[in-house]
């Protein structure tokens, strides 16, 4: 079965600084990969997804993620964070011949002024 | 388009009480899911359905039952609530899109915050 690991529970970043959130997966083949964001008290919003093709994926709100097969990773990046990026971020994976997404434990991002 | 609607949004139960959470989608999606979200644990799948009249167990099914009598609705039941079921519950729906499987149109509801005292 597939699994997803987000090694960082909490990250604090200054406004205007760059952000990188790590995501590693365990699966024998290439999975489908996703990043979601959840603002406090809100539901989940899809930031970006990877199915195939170009390994650098652009998403909403200025986020991008890069799929690295050799490292089984799908890290999320943003060049310059805004205070509104303070939220919890979830990496998720889906696999062929299955029906459901599996989620990592999440990374909470705090943005300081 | 409402998308995925969850009812109720908040609820407080006493231990041993029962309740049903309703998830309704208006996108004609085939697949529906119930997840629970707990701090430090992400979202864990409780039950899911791949079509009307079908249900299947996820990672954490104990203490929950589900039904999918109509394609647009997926009900999650707690027969005898326990404090360990205090959580935020999310429903999601999706459809099969060829090579992208059921993941392309995965849509979440806004959640139900349940407290069991």
């Amino acid at each position: 079965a597939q699994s997803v690991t987000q090694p960082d529970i909490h990250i604090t970043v200054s406004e205007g600084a760059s952000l990188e959130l790590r995501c590693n997966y365990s699966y024998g083949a290439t999975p489908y990969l996703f990043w979601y964001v959840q603002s406090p008290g809100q539901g989940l919003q899809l930031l970006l997804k990877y199915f195939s093709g170009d390994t650098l994926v652009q998403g909403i709100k200025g986020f991008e993620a890069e799929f690295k097969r050799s490292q089984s990773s799908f890290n999320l990046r943003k060049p310059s964070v805004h205070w509104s990026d303070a939220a919890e971020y979830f990496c998720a994976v889906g696999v062929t011949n299955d029906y459901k997404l599996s989620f990592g434990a999440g990374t909470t991002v705090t943005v300081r002024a | 388009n409402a998308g995925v609607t969850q009812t109720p949004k908040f609820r407080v139960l006493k231990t041993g009480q029962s309740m049903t959470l309703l998830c309704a989608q208006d996108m004609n999606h085939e697949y529906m899911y119930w997840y629970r979200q707990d701090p430090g644990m992400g979202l864990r799948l409780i039950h899911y359905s791949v079509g009307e009249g079908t249900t299947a167990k996820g990672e954490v099914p104990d203490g929950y039952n589900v039904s999918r009598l109509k394609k647009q609705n997926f009900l999650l039941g707690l027969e005898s609530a326990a404090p360990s079921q205090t959580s935020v519950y999310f429903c999601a729906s999706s459809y099969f899109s060829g090579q992208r499987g059921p993941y392309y149109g995965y849509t979440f509801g806004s959640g139900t915050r349940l407290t069991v005292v």
Side-chain angles (χ1 to χ4, degrees), chain A residues 22-70:
Chain A
R22 295 184 290 164
C23 173
N24 296 99
Y25 67 88
S26 174
Y27 183 59
T30 299
Y32 307 113
L33 296 159
F34 305 79
W35 275 100
Y36 286 85
V37 61
Q38 183 182 34
S39 297
Q42 302 299 310
L44 284 88
Q45 181 180 21
L46 178 66
L47 284 175
L48 46 78
K49 53 187 178 286
Y50 172 79
F51 285 93
S52 64
D54 193 346
T55 56
L56 186 63
V57 181
Q58 300 298 320
I60 62 171
K61 304 186 177 188
F63 284 93
E64 67 178 24
E66 186 172 13
F67 169 58
K68 292 187 176 180
R69 187 191 309 273
S70 61

Side-chain angles (χ1 to χ4, degrees), chain A residues 32 34 36 38 41-44 49 51 88 90 93-96 98-106, chain B residues 31 33 35 37 40-43 45 48 50 59 90 94 99-104 106 108-110 113:
Chain A
Y32 307 113
F34 305 79
Y36 286 85
Q38 183 182 34
Q42 302 299 310
L44 284 88
K49 53 187 178 286
F51 285 93
E88 189 161 20
F90 293 96
V93 60
V95 301
T96 306
D98 200 355
Y99 301 100
K100 53 197 182 295
L101 283 181
S102 298
F103 286 81
Chain B
Y31 310 124
Y33 313 84
Y35 289 86
Q37 182 183 20
M41 306 195 75
L43 278 77
L45 184 66
Y48 65 101
V50 300
E59 301 172 63
F90 285 100
S94 70
Q99 289 187 339
R100 295 169 176 172
Y103 308 112
Y104 193 71
Y106 227 89
F108 282 90
S110 59
R113 186 173 295 275

Side-chain angles (χ1 to χ4, degrees), chain B residues 11-91:
Chain B
R11 184 74 185 267
V12 179
L13 281 182
K14 293 183 179 180
T15 299
Q17 286 185 320
S18 63
M19 79 163 294
T20 300
L21 281 66
L22 171 63
C23 177
Q25 52 96 1
D26 62 359
M27 298 171 285
N28 202 35
H29 282 179
E30 203 63 37
Y31 310 124
M32 296 187 75
Y33 313 84
W34 277 107
Y35 289 86
R36 60 176 290 173
Q37 182 183 20
D38 303 291
M41 306 195 75
L43 278 77
R44 293 179 293 167
L45 184 66
I46 305 171
H47 286 282
Y48 65 101
S49 167
V50 300
E52 181 178 319
T54 75
T55 62
K57 294 180 180 180
E59 301 172 63
V60 289
D62 294 342
Y64 304 95
N65 57 75
V66 288
S67 65
R68 182 100 182 268
L69 298 180
K70 294 183 178 180
K71 186 176 183 179
Q72 64 267 33
N73 295 336
F74 195 30
L75 279 63
L76 178 71
L78 287 73
E79 290 187 349
S80 179
S84 60
Q85 294 177 304
T86 293
S87 187
V88 180
Y89 292 85
F90 285 100
C91 177

